[in-house]
Amino acid sequence: MNTFAFVTRKDEHSAALAEQIRQRLTAAGYTETDSPETVFVIGGDGTFLYAVHQYLEQLEHVTFYGLHTGTLGFCTDYRESDLEEFLQVFLDGKTEEVRLPLLESISASGRTYAVNEIRIENAARTQVMEIYINGEKFETYRGTGMCVCTQLGSTAYNRSLRGAVLAEGLPVIELCEISGIHHSRYRSLGSPLVLKNTAEIEFRAESFRGALLGSDNDVLSMDDIQRVTVRMSPGRSVRVRRGRRISYFERLKTLF
Ligand code: NAP
Ligand code: MN
């Protein structure tokens, strides 16, 4: 069964491209369904994140194949000017499957997953929290929040926080402060910390009232939570179709 679906950015241009792709796939005998083998992602990196979250419960059954409208993305290998190649490589079965790791958070509210980052952010008041790494107390932190990102997510929010960009292929995660307050009473590292991807980071607070737990584009209230553990998910990952290899530095150059 050759089945597909679309996740398309909400602009006319992306919609028109999706329509073109739909016609070509249909003519080649493919069927559009709600439980597809391939999800065509037409838009930006934000669209890719949205697509993964939409299919979170079916990740083992779908692969994502992306066309970036605009600049070159971190989650996709093709721009719209490459539409012909994008389609031909797919129809010829010449794409290769790669897996992207997911971060996961575990708390009393359940589990969340993220491609880019999981963050705790409190815009309502100063957040105090204890940070444990692999069960060992690391620091007491005070500030707006903390961000844990994947290698892929290092160029997203993490980069705005002055976290290090992590080159493709590094099996690590990065912990970065969001406006940490540093003075004699509360001591925290202050600089980004890169850890092995096997690390487990636990955040504990007397109260997270007012804070949000963000997982890419999803957020949930932390009002009823006192602990959250963040780690690479041992169970879930994202299957992505790649048709060609783009140099990481070529992607990086699109950011500035
Ligand atoms: P969005 O508008 O879809 O994404 C925000 C911007 O981040 C877009 O320009 C997007 O690129 C870019 N982006 C996403 N993932 C990236 C990656 N891995 N590397 C480089 N750039 C990336 O906003 P949203 O729907 O809220 O998406 C949530 C994401 O936005 C979060 O995962 C977070 O990383 C990012 N974010 C950033 C900040 C910040 O930098 N201050 C604040 C909040 C959230 P496209 O234009 O290609 O879609
Ligand atoms: Mn976007």
Side-chain angles (χ1 to χ4, degrees):
M1 277 289 283
N2 291 328
T3 53
F4 68 96
F6 283 102
V7 174
T8 308
R9 187 164 61 197
K10 299 222 172 327
D11 63 71
E12 280 176 29
H13 188 63
S14 301
L17 276 166
E19 186 49 37
Q20 249 180 292
I21 296 167
R22 174 179 288 115
Q23 284 173 15
R24 287 284 294 276
L25 290 173
T26 309
Y30 286 74
T31 314
E32 196 166 358
T33 72
D34 288 340
S35 45
E37 287 166 336
T38 311
V39 176
F40 284 79
V41 182
I42 316 298
D45 288 327
T47 318
F48 181 83
L49 299 178
Y50 182 80
V52 169
H53 284 262
Q54 196 173 324
Y55 285 90
L56 218 41
E57 302 307 322
Q58 309 173 44
L59 288 180
E60 273 312 299
H61 306 291
V62 303
T63 60
F64 297 88
Y65 190 47
L67 184 72
H68 205 96
T69 53
T71 55
L72 198 57
F74 281 84
C75 310
T76 52
D77 302 327
Y78 293 96
R79 280 167 290 212
E80 54 187 292
S81 52
D82 312 314
L83 177 63
E84 231 6 82
E85 185 188 341
F86 173 78
L87 272 167
Q88 210 50 56
V89 169
F90 178 80
L91 292 170
D92 291 346
K94 296 232 173 80
T95 57
E96 135 190 43
E97 183 183 320
V98 296
R99 279 190 187 256
L100 293 180
L102 280 177
L103 278 171
E104 106 187 336
S105 82
I106 307 163
S107 72
S109 296
R111 286 173 200 243
T112 69
Y113 296 88
V115 175
N116 273 344
E117 78 282 301
I118 290 181
R119 47 193 196 271
I120 294 171
E121 274 184 288
N122 199 330
R125 62 188 181 87
T126 304
Q127 181 66 55
V128 179
M129 56 182 141
E130 316 262 283
I131 296 172
Y132 289 77
I133 299 175
N134 299 328
E136 194 180 329
K137 167 78 186 284
F138 178 64
E139 64 184 6
T140 300
Y141 168 86
R142 198 168 84 125
T144 299
M146 279 281 186
C147 175
V148 182
C149 75
T150 60
Q151 179 276 319
L152 184 77
S154 69
T155 43
Y157 196 179
N158 172 73
R159 179 168 166 267
S160 306
L161 301 171
R162 314 295 296 163
V165 169
L166 304 167
E168 196 167 51
L170 290 173
V172 296
I173 59 177
E174 182 170 349
L175 176 67
C176 206
E177 296 185 0
I178 305 174
S179 302
I181 299 170
H182 301 111
H183 65 51
S184 56
R185 232 184 111 206
Y186 296 95
R187 305 271 181 119
S188 63
L189 182 64
S191 54
L193 179 62
V194 178
L195 299 163
K196 276 196 208 171
N197 62 0
T198 50
E200 276 198 18
I201 307 170
E202 190 188 21
F203 303 95
R204 295 187 198 170
E206 270 176 34
S207 166
F208 280 116
R209 192 171 40 79
L212 293 175
L213 182 66
S215 308
D216 299 335
N217 48 344
D218 279 349
V219 289
L220 66 90
S221 162
M222 294 183 71
D223 284 359
D224 302 322
I225 298 175
Q226 283 180 301
R227 289 168 180 230
V228 187
T229 299
V230 178
R231 61 173 186 185
M232 275 302 182
S233 174
R236 290 194 195 187
S237 57
V238 182
R239 299 165 58 205
V240 177
R241 299 224 148 270
R242 302 232 115 139
R244 60 173 183 178
R245 288 267 156 211
I246 304 284
S247 120
Y248 185 68
F249 299 103
E250 199 179 321
R251 290 184 210 274
L252 203 52
K253 281 196 279 183
T254 66
L255 283 181
F256 57 89

